[in-house]
C-alpha cells in the first residue's frame, strides 16, 4: 500500500482512539487494529520485534486499571476497602475506577498499536523517504545507519563467538569491554572505508551542499520562527490572549516550514522505482475520511456525544450508536485494500 | 563569523523554545478552569501542541546541526556510530536491564565530548530515530526523546572548561593513586546527572495525564512553585528508583568503557576531522606563497 494511504490510516486511527473513551467503541477500534496488524505481513527490512505489542498492550491495560483502582477512590460500586491510613492506597476500591483506568489503558494501547502497525508495515526505505528534502544529509546518515544496523548486530555475534573460542566468558561488566571495543573500532574502520567509497563515487557533501546549508535567508526564517513560537507559547501558557498566541504559534510554525522548504528546494528527489497509487489506496483514504467524519465532525443525527463516556459516579452500560460503529470499521481499510490488490493479482 | 553567530542564535532559540514546551505543566495558568473535568481535556490539547512545538524545535535544531556534516567522512562516521548505538538500544530492548538502565547514553556523551556538541546532538537524536525506525518505535513520544537525547550530546562541550579546571587542581600523583583521571571523573558525574535528568524531563510528557493523589498530580493553574513541588513528589514516588538504575548504569558503563572508548574516538578523530587546502608555490622561488 502507498505510504500516503498508510499515513491517512494512521491519522484516522489516532483521531478515533483519542476522541473516544467509550469502552465499546475502543474495543471495536482495537479489534480492527488487531485484524490489520495480524493480516499485514511484516516488511523484511525490519528487524524482528524484541517484544510482543499485544502482550505489552495487555500489560498496559492491566497496569492502568490496577493503578487507577488503587489510587482513585471515587465511584459507588465498592469492590473492597483497603483499611488503615496507607498514603494513596487506603480507601474504597471501586468498579468504576477499575473500568475508567482500563479504558484509559485501552486508548493508550491502541495509540501505541497504531504506530507499531504503521512502522512495521512500511518498508524502512519508505519511512526514510518521509524525511523532508531539507534534511538530505541527515537522510543519508539515517540510510547508512539503517543499512549498517543488521551488519553491526552480526558483527557483535561474530566477535562474541571469536572471544568464546579463546575462552572468554561473560560473567560481569568487566567481561564486556573485549566485546564492545572491537565492535566500536571495527565500526569506525568501516566508517572510514565507507567514506572513501562515497568520495570515490562522487558523493559531494562538501562545497555546494555546505553552502546550501549556510544560506542566510532560510536560516533567518528559522530563527524568527523559533522566536515567534517561544513567545506565542508563553502567551498561551500565561492565558493572556488566545488569538494572539494562535497567530504567533501559527506564524512561527509557518516561518520554520518556509525556511525548511527553502533549504530543501535545491535538492531534487528521485526514485528508482516510485510507488504506484492504486485503487486500493483511494479506498483506504476514503475509509480513513469516514472514520474521521464519524469521530470528529458533529454530523446531524449521529450519536457522537456517546464517544465521551465516564463510568462515574455509578457504572451504567455505555451507549452504542451502530452508525458510529460502522464508521469505525473504516479502520479495516488496509486489510480490505490488501484483499483487493491480492485478488487483482 | 556572522554565520556562526546565526547558528548559535538558532541553536539557543530552539533549545529554549523546546525546553519551554517540555516544561509547560509548570507554567500553564488557569486555562482549564470552569470545565467539568478540568485538566483532562486541556491536558490532551496541550500535550498535542507540546509535541508539535517540540517537533518543530527538533527540526530547526537538526537543520542547523546538519550544516556541520561537511564531509563524507563525518557523514559515514555519524551513520556508523548511530547504527552501533541503535544496536545497543536494540539489545537493551531485547534483554531489558534493571529499571531505566540504558546503554546508549555513554556513547552519546563521549561522541559529543570528542567531536563537539553538534555531532553529539545529531548522535543522540539519530540514535533514537534509527532505533525507532527499525523496531517500530515511531510515535508521538519520538520528538521528545530525540530532543532530550540530542540535548545530552549538545551539552557535553560544557564539560571541557570543567575538565581543564579539574586538571589544573588535580595533581598527577593523586591521579595515579586514585586510578582515574579528572576527565573520567567529570564525564562520569555528567553521565550520572543525565541519568536522572533524562527521566525527569521525559516524565513531563505523561505527568499531566496521570491521575493520582492531590499532592502529586497535575492541575491547570497550579503556579510554578506548587507545580514543581507536586512534580518533585510525583518523581520521588514513581521515578526515582527507576532513574537511579539509569544513573548507576551510566556510571558503570562510563567507568568500564569510558577510557578505552575515549582513546579510540580520539585516535579516529585525527583521521576523520582534518582540513586541507591548496599550497600555492611561487613561480620563481618554488617556496610557498600563500594559501590557508
Amino acid at each position: 500500500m502507498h505510504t500516503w494511504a498508510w499515513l491517512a490510516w494512521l491519522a484516522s486511527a489516532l483521531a478515533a482512539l483519542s476522541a473516544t473513551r467509550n469502552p465499546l467503541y475502543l474495543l471495536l477500534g482495537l479489534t480492527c487494529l488487531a485484524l490489520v496488524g495480524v493480516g499485514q505481513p511484516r516488511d523484511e527490512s525490519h528487524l524482528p520485534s524484541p517484544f510482543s505489542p499485544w502482550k505489552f498492550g495487555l500489560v498496559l491495560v492491566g497496569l492502568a486499571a490496577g493503578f487507577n483502582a488503587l489510587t482513585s477512590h471515587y465511584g459507588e460500586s465498592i469492590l473492597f476497602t483497603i483499611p488503615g491510613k496507607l498514603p494513596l492506597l487506603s480507601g474504597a476500591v471501586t468498579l468504576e475506577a477499575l473500568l475508567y483506568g482500563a479504558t484509559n489503558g485501552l486508548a493508550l494501547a491502541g495509540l501505541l498499536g497504531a504506530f507499531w502497525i504503521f512502522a512495521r508495515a512500511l518498508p524502512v526505505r519508505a519511512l526514510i523517504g518521509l524525511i523532508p528534502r531539507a534534511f538530505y544529509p541527515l537522510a543519508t546518515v539515517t540510510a547508512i545507519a539503517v543499512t549498517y544496523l543488521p551488519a553491526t548486530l552480526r558483527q557483535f555475534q561474530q566477535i562474541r563467538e571469536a572471544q568464546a573460542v579463546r575462552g572468554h566468558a561473560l560473567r560481569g561488566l568487566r567481561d564486556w569491554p573485549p566485546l564492545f571495543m572491537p565492535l566500536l573500532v571495527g565500526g569506525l574502520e568501516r566508517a572510514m572505508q565507507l567514506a572513501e567509497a562515497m568520495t570515490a563515487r562522487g558523493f559531494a557533501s562538501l562545497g555546494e551542499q555546505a553552502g546550501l546549508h549556510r544560506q542566510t535567508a532560510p536560516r533567518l526564517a528559522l530563527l524568527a520562527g523559533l522566536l515567534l513560537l517561544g513567545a506565542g507559547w508563553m502567551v498561551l501558557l500565561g492565558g493572556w490572549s488566545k488569538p494572539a498566541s494562535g497567530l504567533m504559534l501559527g506564524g512561527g510554525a509557518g516561518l520554520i516550514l518556509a525556511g525548511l522548504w527553502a533549504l530543501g528546494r535545491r535538492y531534487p528527489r528521485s526514485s528508482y522505482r516510485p510507488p504506484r497509487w492504486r485503487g486500493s489506496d483511494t479506498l483506504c483514504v476514503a475509509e480513513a475520511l469516514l472514520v474521521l467524519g464519524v469521530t470528529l465532525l458533529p454530523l446531524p443525527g449521529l450519536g457522537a456525544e456517546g464517544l465521551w463516556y465516564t463510568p462515574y459516579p455509578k457504572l451504567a452500560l455505555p451507549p452504542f450508536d451502530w452508525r458510529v460503529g460502522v464508521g469505525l470499521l473504516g479502520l479495516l481499510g488496509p486489510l480490505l485494500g490488501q484483499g483487493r490488490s491480492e485478488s487483482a493479482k | 563569523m556572522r554565520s556562526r553567530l546565526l547558528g548559535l542564535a538558532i541553536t539557543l532559540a530552539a533549545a529554549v523554545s523546546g525546553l519551554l514546551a517540555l516544561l509547560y505543566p509548570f507554567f500553564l495558568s488557569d486555562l482549564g478552569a470552569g470545565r467539568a473535568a478540568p485538566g483532562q481535556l486541556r491536558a490532551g490539547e496541550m500535550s498535542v501542541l507540546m509535541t508539535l512545538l517540540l517537533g518543530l524545535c527538533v527540526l530547526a535544531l537538526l537543520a542547523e546541526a546538519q550544516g556541520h556534516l561537511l564531509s563524507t567522512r563525518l557523514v559515514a562516521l555519524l551513520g556508523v556510530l548511530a547504527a552501533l548505538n541503535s544496536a545497543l538500544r536494540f539489545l537493551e530492548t531485547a534483554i531489558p536491564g534493571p529499571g531505566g538502565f540504558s546503554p546508549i547514553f555513554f556513547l552519546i556523551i563521549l561522541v559529543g565530548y570528542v567531536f563537539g556538541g553538534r555531532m553529539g546532538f545529531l548522535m543522540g537524536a539519530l540514535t533514537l530515530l534509527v532505533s525507532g525506525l527499525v523496531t517500530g518505535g515511531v510515535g508521538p513520544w519520538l520528538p521528545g526523546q530525540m530532543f532530550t537525547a540530542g540535548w545530552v550530546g549538545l551539552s557535553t562541550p560544557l564539560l571541557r572548561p570543567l575538565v581543564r579546571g579539574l586538571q589544573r587542581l588535580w595533581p598527577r600523583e593523586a591521579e595515579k593513586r586514585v586510578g582515574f583521571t579528572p576527565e573520567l571523573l567529570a564525564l562520569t558525574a555528567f553521565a550520572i546527572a543525565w541519568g536522572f535528568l533524562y527521566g525527569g524531563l521525559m516524565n513531563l510528557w505523561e505527568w499531566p495525564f496521570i491521575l493520582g493523589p492531590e499532592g502529586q498530580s497535575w492541575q491547570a493553574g497550579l503556579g510554578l512553585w506548587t507545580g514543581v513541588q507536586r512534580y518533585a513528589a510525583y518523581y520521588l514516588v514513581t521515578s526515582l528508583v527507576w532513574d537511579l538504575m539509569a544513573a548507576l548504569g551510566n556510571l558503570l558503563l562510563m567507568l568500564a568503557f569510558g577510557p578505552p572508548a575515549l582513546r579510540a574516538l580520539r585516535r579516529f578523530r585525527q583521521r576523520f576531522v582534518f582540513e586541507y587546502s591548496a599550497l600555492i608555490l611561487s613561480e620563481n622561488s618554488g617556496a610557498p606563497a600563500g594559501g590557508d
Side-chain angles (χ1 to χ4, degrees):
Chain A
M1 210 165 78
H2 200 279
T3 310
W4 289 104
W6 268 113
L7 274 174
W9 175 83
L10 178 69
S12 68
L14 296 182
L17 292 167
S18 308
T20 182
R21 284 296 177 274
N22 183 324
L24 297 178
Y25 294 141
L26 278 174
L27 282 172
L28 182 63
L30 279 170
T31 309
C32 293
L33 291 191
L35 289 172
V36 172
V38 170
Q40 203 61 39
R42 180 172 67 86
D43 188 85
E44 292 302 315
S45 57
H46 290 283
L47 295 172
S49 182
F51 60 89
S52 159
W54 313 117
K55 284 183 192 165
F56 184 71
L58 278 178
V59 171
L60 202 63
V61 173
L63 278 177
F67 184 77
N68 199 52
L70 291 174
T71 57
S72 171
H73 304 288
Y74 303 116
E76 293 179 7
S77 312
I78 297 172
L79 295 172
F80 59 90
T81 305
I82 300 176
K85 290 186 176 176
L86 290 171
L88 189 67
L89 297 176
S90 286
V93 174
T94 67
L95 187 61
E96 287 83 10
L98 188 77
L99 188 72
Y100 189 77
T103 310
N104 279 337
L106 275 178
L108 197 55
L111 293 174
L112 295 176
F115 272 107
W116 186 83
I117 292 167
F118 171 78
R120 304 294 289 179
L122 278 176
V124 172
R125 68 172 184 282
L127 292 173
I128 293 175
L130 292 174
I131 297 176
R133 286 196 297 175
F135 298 100
Y136 165 67
L138 284 185
T140 312
V141 172
T142 309
I144 291 171
V146 167
T147 310
Y148 269 75
L149 183 54
T152 307
L153 288 169
R154 273 198 305 276
Q155 199 195 9
F156 175 74
Q157 190 63 25
Q158 287 165 355
I159 294 169
R160 209 170 70 149
E161 285 167 8
Q163 297 285 30
V165 169
R166 294 180 188 138
H168 179 266
L170 274 176
R171 293 189 199 90
L173 194 65
R174 284 184 179 186
D175 300 314
W176 279 90
L179 295 183
F180 176 73
M181 287 314 296
L183 193 66
L184 176 65
V185 174
L188 291 169
E189 286 290 355
R190 278 210 308 275
M192 183 58 83
Q193 290 165 9
L194 177 68
E196 284 165 2
M198 286 165 76
T199 307
R201 282 163 177 77
F203 179 91
S205 70
L206 279 166
E208 190 188 351
Q209 285 174 22
L212 278 181
H213 276 277
R214 292 285 164 228
Q215 289 178 93
T216 306
R219 291 169 80 210
L220 279 175
L222 285 184
L223 180 61
L226 285 167
L227 292 174
L228 264 179
L229 270 189
W233 186 243
M234 287 314 286
V235 171
L236 181 71
L237 293 183
W240 292 307
S241 166
K242 214 173 172 182
S245 67
L247 271 177
M248 288 162 92
L249 287 172
L255 274 173
I256 291 177
L257 294 177
L260 293 177
W261 175 80
L263 278 177
R265 75 194 161 125
R266 295 209 193 159
Y267 294 126
R269 174 174 277 177
S270 60
S271 179
Y272 180 67
R273 191 182 293 160
R276 275 176 50 210
W277 185 268
R278 299 169 193 272
S280 56
D281 297 319
T282 310
L283 183 67
C284 185
V285 171
E287 287 169 22
L289 288 174
L290 177 70
V291 174
L292 289 171
V294 296
T295 52
L296 295 184
L297 296 180
L299 297 175
L302 208 62
E305 64 276 4
L307 288 172
W308 273 101
Y309 162 81
T310 172
Y312 296 121
K314 186 160 177 60
L315 186 64
L317 200 65
F320 186 85
D321 188 315
W322 66 271
R323 290 163 298 183
V324 176
V326 170
L328 283 175
L329 290 179
L331 289 175
L332 291 171
L335 208 58
L336 301 178
Q338 194 190 9
R340 272 174 62 100
S341 56
E342 275 175 10
S343 61
K345 284 175 194 172
Chain B
M1 183 65 185
R2 205 171 57 180
S3 179
R4 279 176 70 94
L5 277 178
L6 186 56
L8 190 68
I10 291 174
T11 307
L12 267 177
V16 171
S17 298
L19 264 182
L20 284 176
L22 269 176
L23 297 176
Y24 84 89
F26 301 132
F27 297 114
L28 192 59
S29 69
D30 56 350
L31 279 171
R35 295 198 178 199
Q40 290 174 18
L41 185 61
R42 186 59 62 180
E45 291 170 9
M46 290 305 290
S47 186
V48 170
L49 266 179
M50 186 264 269
T51 306
L52 290 175
L53 187 66
L54 210 52
L56 286 169
C57 291
V58 171
L59 288 181
L61 263 176
L62 285 173
E64 183 51 38
Q66 72 177 356
H68 191 55
L69 296 174
L70 300 182
S71 72
T72 50
R73 294 186 302 278
L74 286 182
V75 168
L77 173 73
L78 191 61
V80 171
L81 283 175
L84 178 63
N85 222 18
S86 304
L88 290 179
R89 191 169 183 229
F90 180 76
L91 290 174
E92 174 226 337
T93 320
I95 316 162
F101 169 80
S102 177
I104 61 171
F105 292 104
F106 91 96
L107 197 56
I108 295 172
I109 291 171
L110 290 181
V111 168
Y113 182 69
V114 173
F115 290 95
R118 281 182 292 188
M119 277 291 276
F121 176 81
L122 292 174
M123 175 76 181
L126 289 177
T127 295
L128 272 296
L129 175 67
V130 171
S131 54
L133 282 177
V134 294
T135 57
V138 177
W141 51 88
L142 193 61
Q145 286 181 335
M146 285 173 68
F147 183 81
T148 317
W151 250 94
V152 177
L154 190 66
S155 56
T156 44
L158 298 174
L159 275 177
R160 288 177 186 161
L162 178 71
V163 169
R164 278 198 294 274
L166 278 175
Q167 277 168 339
R168 276 198 292 273
L169 295 171
W170 198 279
R172 281 274 173 198
E173 299 76 43
E175 197 175 307
K176 283 177 188 162
R177 201 169 55 241
V178 178
F180 53 85
T181 59
E183 188 173 49
L184 184 61
L185 181 75
L187 282 167
T188 309
F190 190 75
I192 292 172
W194 266 113
F196 290 108
L197 259 176
Y198 184 80
L201 284 173
M202 288 310 297
N203 270 358
L204 285 169
W205 194 81
E206 65 188 20
W207 185 46
F209 292 105
I210 306 286
L211 293 171
E214 197 175 306
Q216 296 169 26
S217 57
W218 178 81
Q219 269 182 316
L222 277 179
L224 179 63
W225 180 236
T226 317
V228 170
Q229 279 179 321
R230 283 196 183 193
Y231 182 68
Y234 169 78
Y235 182 82
L236 285 174
V237 171
T238 60
S239 311
L240 185 68
V241 177
W242 183 268
D243 289 346
L244 185 67
M245 294 297 143
L248 278 176
N250 286 353
L251 164 83
L252 292 174
L253 289 172
M254 195 56 87
L255 289 179
F257 300 115
L262 209 52
R263 277 196 297 276
L265 289 173
R266 282 203 170 117
R267 184 155 54 86
F268 275 90
R269 186 179 187 278
Q270 291 172 348
R271 292 170 64 185
F272 277 105
V273 186
F274 62 86
E275 284 179 14
Y276 53 86
S277 57
L279 191 66
I280 302 165
L281 296 176
S282 156
E283 276 184 17
N284 298 331
S285 63
D292 46 6

